[in-house]
Amino acid sequence: MDEQTTLLEQIMAYDFALYDLQLFLNTHPSDTNALRDYKMALEQSENLRRQYQSKYGPLTARYLPNTTCWQWINDPWPWNNKEV
Amino acid sequence: MWFYDKKTQYPIKIKKPDPRMAIAILTQYGGPNGELAASLRYLSQRFSMPTKEAKATLNDIGTEELAHLEMIGTMVHQLMDKVPPKELEKLHVDTNYVIHGRAVYPSDSNGVPFTAAYIESMEDPIANLNEDLAAEEKARATYDYLISIADDPDVIDPLRFLREREVVHYQRFGETLRIVRETMGKKKYY
Ligand SMILES: [Fe+2]
Protein backbone atom coordinates (compact mmCIF):
# COMPACT_ATOMS: atom_id res chain seq x y z
CA MET A 1 0.00 0.00 0.00
CA ASP A 2 1.44 3.41 -0.96
CA GLU A 3 2.01 6.24 1.51
CA GLN A 4 -1.02 8.23 0.36
CA THR A 5 -3.37 5.28 0.85
CA THR A 6 -1.87 4.47 4.26
CA LEU A 7 -2.41 8.04 5.45
CA LEU A 8 -5.93 8.17 4.01
CA GLU A 9 -6.85 4.91 5.74
CA GLN A 10 -5.56 6.27 9.06
CA ILE A 11 -7.86 9.28 8.63
CA MET A 12 -10.73 6.94 7.72
CA ALA A 13 -10.14 4.92 10.88
CA TYR A 14 -10.18 7.99 13.15
CA ASP A 15 -13.19 9.47 11.35
CA PHE A 16 -15.05 6.21 11.75
CA ALA A 17 -14.26 6.12 15.47
CA LEU A 18 -15.50 9.72 15.70
CA TYR A 19 -18.77 8.89 13.94
CA ASP A 20 -19.39 5.84 16.10
CA LEU A 21 -18.76 7.94 19.24
CA GLN A 22 -21.05 10.64 17.87
CA LEU A 23 -23.94 8.15 17.64
CA PHE A 24 -23.15 6.87 21.15
CA LEU A 25 -23.01 10.40 22.58
CA ASN A 26 -26.37 11.24 21.00
CA THR A 27 -28.02 8.82 23.44
CA HIS A 28 -25.42 9.20 26.26
CA PRO A 29 -24.69 12.96 26.19
CA SER A 30 -23.07 13.06 29.65
CA ASP A 31 -20.73 10.08 29.25
CA THR A 32 -17.37 11.63 30.21
CA ASN A 33 -15.29 8.68 28.91
CA ALA A 34 -16.87 8.92 25.46
CA LEU A 35 -16.38 12.71 25.46
CA ARG A 36 -12.70 12.25 26.31
CA ASP A 37 -12.26 9.63 23.54
CA TYR A 38 -14.02 11.94 21.10
CA LYS A 39 -11.65 14.78 21.90
CA MET A 40 -8.59 12.54 21.44
CA ALA A 41 -9.76 11.09 18.10
CA LEU A 42 -10.74 14.55 16.85
CA GLU A 43 -7.24 15.92 17.47
CA GLN A 44 -5.66 12.93 15.68
CA SER A 45 -8.03 13.18 12.73
CA GLU A 46 -7.52 16.92 12.27
CA ASN A 47 -3.77 16.52 12.51
CA LEU A 48 -3.62 13.72 9.90
CA ARG A 49 -6.08 15.57 7.65
CA ARG A 50 -3.81 18.62 7.65
CA GLN A 51 -0.85 16.41 6.69
CA TYR A 52 -2.78 14.61 3.96
CA GLN A 53 -4.22 17.73 2.34
CA SER A 54 -0.91 19.55 2.21
CA LYS A 55 0.72 16.54 0.51
CA TYR A 56 -2.01 15.08 -1.68
CA GLY A 57 -4.67 17.75 -2.15
CA PRO A 58 -8.18 18.39 -0.90
CA LEU A 59 -10.34 15.90 1.00
CA THR A 60 -13.13 18.48 1.00
CA ALA A 61 -13.79 21.27 -1.50
CA ARG A 62 -13.27 23.76 1.33
CA TYR A 63 -9.52 23.48 1.13
CA LEU A 64 -7.56 25.76 -1.13
CA PRO A 65 -3.95 24.76 -1.72
CA ASN A 66 -1.42 27.32 -2.89
CA THR A 67 -1.80 26.58 -6.60
CA THR A 68 -3.30 28.24 -9.65
CA CYS A 69 -5.46 25.22 -10.45
CA TRP A 70 -8.66 23.90 -8.80
CA GLN A 71 -7.54 20.53 -7.42
CA TRP A 72 -10.86 19.27 -6.05
CA ILE A 73 -11.70 17.56 -9.35
CA ASN A 74 -8.53 15.46 -9.39
CA ASP A 75 -8.69 11.65 -9.34
CA PRO A 76 -9.01 9.38 -7.53
CA TRP A 77 -12.63 9.60 -6.38
CA PRO A 78 -13.56 7.16 -3.62
CA TRP A 79 -15.23 4.66 -5.97
CA ASN A 80 -12.18 4.45 -8.25
CA ASN A 81 -10.01 1.45 -7.59
CA LYS A 82 -6.45 2.74 -7.69
CA GLU A 83 -4.82 -0.67 -7.53
CA VAL A 84 -6.65 -2.21 -10.50
CA MET B 1 -27.09 20.42 4.85
CA TRP B 2 -24.13 18.26 3.97
CA PHE B 3 -20.52 18.56 2.85
CA TYR B 4 -18.77 15.85 0.90
CA ASP B 5 -15.62 14.12 2.16
CA LYS B 6 -13.60 12.51 -0.63
CA LYS B 7 -13.41 9.02 0.92
CA THR B 8 -15.59 6.03 1.67
CA GLN B 9 -16.45 5.29 5.31
CA TYR B 10 -14.53 2.00 5.12
CA PRO B 11 -11.88 0.97 2.55
CA ILE B 12 -13.09 -0.87 -0.57
CA LYS B 13 -10.50 -2.28 -2.96
CA ILE B 14 -11.96 -5.14 -4.96
CA LYS B 15 -9.38 -6.67 -7.31
CA LYS B 16 -11.46 -9.49 -8.82
CA PRO B 17 -14.62 -8.66 -10.82
CA ASP B 18 -17.65 -10.79 -9.96
CA PRO B 19 -20.79 -9.62 -11.82
CA ARG B 20 -23.10 -12.12 -10.10
CA MET B 21 -22.00 -10.87 -6.68
CA ALA B 22 -22.46 -7.30 -7.96
CA ILE B 23 -26.11 -8.02 -8.76
CA ALA B 24 -26.62 -9.77 -5.42
CA ILE B 25 -25.19 -6.77 -3.54
CA LEU B 26 -27.26 -4.35 -5.68
CA THR B 27 -30.29 -5.02 -3.46
CA GLN B 28 -28.54 -3.10 -0.68
CA TYR B 29 -28.42 -0.12 -3.05
CA GLY B 30 -32.04 0.14 -4.17
CA GLY B 31 -33.83 -2.83 -2.61
CA PRO B 32 -36.42 -3.00 0.22
CA ASN B 33 -33.85 -3.36 3.03
CA GLY B 34 -31.16 -1.33 1.31
CA GLU B 35 -29.18 1.73 2.32
CA LEU B 36 -31.18 4.22 0.21
CA ALA B 37 -34.41 3.11 1.90
CA ALA B 38 -32.73 3.33 5.31
CA SER B 39 -31.38 6.82 4.69
CA LEU B 40 -34.66 8.24 3.30
CA ARG B 41 -36.62 6.63 6.12
CA TYR B 42 -34.57 8.16 8.94
CA LEU B 43 -33.99 11.53 7.28
CA SER B 44 -37.75 11.86 6.67
CA GLN B 45 -38.80 10.64 10.12
CA ARG B 46 -36.41 13.00 11.92
CA PHE B 47 -38.72 15.99 11.27
CA SER B 48 -41.33 14.64 13.69
CA MET B 49 -38.98 13.38 16.41
CA PRO B 50 -39.86 14.88 19.83
CA THR B 51 -36.62 14.81 21.87
CA LYS B 52 -33.13 16.18 21.22
CA GLU B 53 -31.60 12.68 21.47
CA ALA B 54 -34.08 11.30 18.91
CA LYS B 55 -33.57 14.20 16.47
CA ALA B 56 -29.80 13.75 16.58
CA THR B 57 -29.98 9.95 16.28
CA LEU B 58 -32.28 9.96 13.25
CA ASN B 59 -30.32 12.77 11.60
CA ASP B 60 -26.94 11.12 12.10
CA ILE B 61 -27.88 7.51 11.35
CA GLY B 62 -29.71 8.74 8.22
CA THR B 63 -26.49 10.49 7.24
CA GLU B 64 -24.36 7.40 7.88
CA GLU B 65 -26.70 5.35 5.67
CA LEU B 66 -25.84 7.69 2.79
CA ALA B 67 -22.19 6.81 3.32
CA HIS B 68 -23.22 3.13 3.23
CA LEU B 69 -25.11 3.74 -0.02
CA GLU B 70 -21.86 5.06 -1.43
CA MET B 71 -19.96 1.98 -0.19
CA ILE B 72 -22.50 -0.37 -1.80
CA GLY B 73 -22.42 1.59 -5.07
CA THR B 74 -18.63 1.42 -5.01
CA MET B 75 -18.72 -2.35 -4.51
CA VAL B 76 -21.24 -2.87 -7.34
CA HIS B 77 -19.17 -0.64 -9.63
CA GLN B 78 -15.87 -2.36 -8.87
CA LEU B 79 -17.39 -5.85 -9.23
CA MET B 80 -18.91 -4.98 -12.65
CA ASP B 81 -16.30 -2.62 -14.06
CA LYS B 82 -14.93 -3.55 -17.51
CA VAL B 83 -16.38 -7.09 -17.53
CA PRO B 84 -16.93 -8.03 -21.22
CA PRO B 85 -20.62 -8.30 -22.30
CA LYS B 86 -20.17 -11.95 -23.39
CA GLU B 87 -18.94 -12.79 -19.90
CA LEU B 88 -22.03 -11.12 -18.42
CA GLU B 89 -24.21 -13.22 -20.72
CA LYS B 90 -22.50 -16.43 -19.62
CA LEU B 91 -23.08 -15.49 -15.96
CA HIS B 92 -26.78 -14.74 -16.62
CA VAL B 93 -26.54 -11.09 -15.63
CA ASP B 94 -27.09 -9.92 -19.22
CA THR B 95 -30.71 -8.82 -18.60
CA ASN B 96 -29.41 -6.16 -16.24
CA TYR B 97 -26.69 -5.25 -18.77
CA VAL B 98 -29.06 -4.64 -21.70
CA ILE B 99 -31.07 -2.17 -19.59
CA HIS B 100 -28.36 -0.27 -17.70
CA GLY B 101 -25.05 -1.38 -19.15
CA ARG B 102 -22.62 -1.68 -16.27
CA ALA B 103 -24.01 1.38 -14.50
CA VAL B 104 -25.20 1.44 -10.88
CA TYR B 105 -29.00 1.83 -10.85
CA PRO B 106 -31.13 1.86 -7.67
CA SER B 107 -33.04 -1.40 -7.96
CA ASP B 108 -33.08 -4.69 -6.07
CA SER B 109 -31.24 -7.77 -7.36
CA ASN B 110 -34.23 -8.69 -9.55
CA GLY B 111 -34.19 -5.30 -11.27
CA VAL B 112 -37.26 -3.96 -9.42
CA PRO B 113 -36.69 -0.17 -9.21
CA PHE B 114 -36.41 1.58 -5.87
CA THR B 115 -39.70 2.84 -4.47
CA ALA B 116 -40.54 4.98 -1.44
CA ALA B 117 -43.24 2.38 -0.73
CA TYR B 118 -40.45 0.47 1.07
CA ILE B 119 -40.49 3.02 3.87
CA GLU B 120 -42.93 4.72 6.22
CA SER B 121 -42.78 8.07 7.97
CA MET B 122 -45.47 8.80 10.57
CA GLU B 123 -45.97 11.60 13.05
CA ASP B 124 -45.92 9.01 15.87
CA PRO B 125 -42.29 8.57 17.03
CA ILE B 126 -42.97 5.25 18.78
CA ALA B 127 -44.31 3.77 15.54
CA ASN B 128 -41.36 5.16 13.58
CA LEU B 129 -38.71 3.87 16.00
CA ASN B 130 -40.23 0.38 16.03
CA GLU B 131 -40.09 0.37 12.23
CA ASP B 132 -36.47 1.48 12.43
CA LEU B 133 -35.53 -1.37 14.79
CA ALA B 134 -37.11 -3.89 12.40
CA ALA B 135 -35.42 -2.23 9.41
CA GLU B 136 -31.99 -2.58 11.01
CA GLU B 137 -32.58 -6.28 11.69
CA LYS B 138 -33.75 -6.86 8.10
CA ALA B 139 -30.66 -5.11 6.77
CA ARG B 140 -28.51 -7.18 9.13
CA ALA B 141 -30.16 -10.39 7.86
CA THR B 142 -29.57 -9.31 4.25
CA TYR B 143 -25.87 -8.79 4.99
CA ASP B 144 -25.79 -12.27 6.57
CA TYR B 145 -27.21 -13.73 3.33
CA LEU B 146 -24.72 -11.79 1.21
CA ILE B 147 -21.77 -12.88 3.38
CA SER B 148 -22.95 -16.50 3.14
CA ILE B 149 -22.73 -16.47 -0.69
CA ALA B 150 -19.49 -14.41 -0.96
CA ASP B 151 -16.02 -15.95 -1.07
CA ASP B 152 -13.64 -13.05 -1.87
CA PRO B 153 -12.17 -11.45 1.31
CA ASP B 154 -12.15 -8.07 -0.51
CA VAL B 155 -15.96 -8.39 -0.68
CA ILE B 156 -16.61 -10.09 2.66
CA ASP B 157 -14.62 -7.54 4.68
CA PRO B 158 -16.72 -4.43 3.82
CA LEU B 159 -19.93 -6.52 4.02
CA ARG B 160 -18.96 -7.50 7.59
CA PHE B 161 -18.34 -3.85 8.43
CA LEU B 162 -21.79 -2.91 7.10
CA ARG B 163 -23.41 -5.78 9.01
CA GLU B 164 -21.82 -4.56 12.25
CA ARG B 165 -23.13 -1.06 11.65
CA GLU B 166 -26.70 -2.40 11.46
CA VAL B 167 -26.16 -4.02 14.87
CA VAL B 168 -24.91 -0.70 16.32
CA HIS B 169 -27.80 1.24 14.75
CA TYR B 170 -30.27 -1.25 16.26
CA GLN B 171 -28.69 -0.59 19.67
CA ARG B 172 -28.89 3.21 19.29
CA PHE B 173 -32.53 3.08 18.09
CA GLY B 174 -33.38 0.92 21.12
CA GLU B 175 -31.89 3.52 23.46
CA THR B 176 -33.71 6.28 21.56
CA LEU B 177 -37.04 4.45 21.87
CA ARG B 178 -36.52 4.15 25.64
CA ILE B 179 -35.70 7.87 25.94
CA VAL B 180 -38.74 8.88 23.86
CA ARG B 181 -41.04 6.60 25.91
CA GLU B 182 -39.74 8.09 29.19
CA THR B 183 -40.16 11.66 27.94
CA MET B 184 -43.67 11.03 26.67
CA GLY B 185 -44.54 9.25 29.94
CA LYS B 186 -43.52 12.34 31.94
CA LYS B 187 -45.77 14.51 29.78
CA LYS B 188 -48.70 12.20 30.74
CA TYR B 189 -49.12 10.67 27.33
CA TYR B 190 -49.60 6.92 27.50
FE1 LIG C 1 -28.31 1.02 9.47
Side-chain angles (χ1 to χ4, degrees):
Chain A
M1 211 158 51
D2 61 39
E3 211 182 299
Q4 180 178 359
T5 312
T6 309
L7 189 52
L8 184 60
E9 291 195 0
Q10 281 171 352
I11 297 168
M12 288 162 82
Y14 278 111
D15 285 359
F16 167 63
L18 282 169
Y19 211 86
D20 193 42
L21 284 164
Q22 179 178 337
L23 296 188
F24 179 83
L25 282 161
N26 285 345
T27 51
H28 307 78
S30 5
D31 189 299
T32 47
N33 286 334
L35 278 167
R36 188 205 53 213
D37 292 349
Y38 192 89
K39 185 168 182 284
M40 268 168 28
L42 185 60
E43 280 163 13
Q44 294 287 346
S45 169
E46 282 176 345
N47 195 2
L48 292 167
R49 195 175 275 262
R50 228 173 286 122
Q51 279 180 46
Y52 182 95
Q53 295 196 126
S54 66
K55 273 192 193 163
Y56 305 113
L59 273 177
T60 72
R62 290 188 162 210
Y63 175 82
L64 202 55
N66 231 342
T67 54
T68 52
C69 187
W70 181 242
Q71 290 187 22
W72 172 243
I73 61 171
N74 290 357
D75 283 331
W77 286 84
W79 50 90
N80 296 144
N81 197 337
K82 282 213 306 171
E83 280 162 38
V84 173
Chain B
M1 77 155 298
W2 285 267
F3 288 105
Y4 188 72
D5 234 14
K6 217 170 176 178
K7 59 181 170 54
T8 48
Q9 194 188 21
Y10 188 86
I12 299 168
K13 279 171 284 187
I14 297 169
K15 298 180 245 352
K16 209 170 95 239
D18 183 349
R20 292 193 66 188
M21 199 64 214
I23 298 299
I25 290 173
L26 185 62
T27 196
Q28 284 307 82
Y29 198 78
N33 307 312
E35 302 293 352
L36 179 59
S39 185
L40 276 184
R41 176 186 296 113
Y42 309 146
L43 291 179
S44 300
Q45 291 177 353
R46 71 186 161 150
F47 296 108
S48 42
M49 282 294 148
T51 75
K52 57 186 195 294
E53 294 89 349
K55 289 175 208 176
T57 297
L58 277 276
N59 185 74
D60 294 351
I61 295 183
T63 299
E64 186 180 351
E65 307 293 13
L66 279 179
H68 296 169
L69 182 71
E70 178 181 50
M71 282 182 65
I72 291 293
T74 298
M75 294 182 82
V76 173
H77 169 69
Q78 292 185 4
L79 287 165
M80 283 286 252
D81 200 24
K82 300 187 188 86
V83 177
K86 281 286 176 199
E87 187 80 10
L88 297 172
E89 190 251 308
K90 251 185 272 159
L91 294 165
H92 306 290
V93 297
D94 50 333
T95 48
N96 201 279
Y97 174 73
V98 297
I99 303 171
H100 305 293
R102 284 163 293 208
V104 179
Y105 176 78
S107 75
D108 70 11
S109 302
N110 292 320
V112 180
F114 178 78
T115 163
Y118 292 147
I119 70 166
E120 179 56 287
S121 176
M122 297 187 79
E123 190 181 345
D124 187 314
I126 304 288
N128 283 340
L129 286 164
N130 276 288
E131 179 191 342
D132 302 345
L133 286 162
E136 292 296 333
E137 282 299 291
K138 287 187 277 184
R140 193 268 310 148
T142 308
Y143 283 116
D144 278 334
Y145 302 150
L146 287 169
I147 290 164
S148 75
I149 61 166
D151 40 38
D152 181 352
D154 288 348
V155 173
I156 294 172
D157 192 42
L159 288 177
R160 281 218 181 103
F161 170 86
L162 290 166
R163 181 195 183 280
E164 278 312 300
R165 296 313 291 157
E166 310 305 358
V167 176
V168 171
H169 292 172
Y170 180 85
Q171 180 74 26
R172 301 283 96 90
F173 281 133
E175 293 156 359
T176 305
L177 178 58
R178 180 180 47 74
I179 292 166
V180 169
R181 278 216 167 99
E182 282 168 13
T183 312
M184 292 174 94
K186 273 189 215 132
K187 286 187 185 157
K188 302 274 182 244
Y189 287 98
Y190 47 87

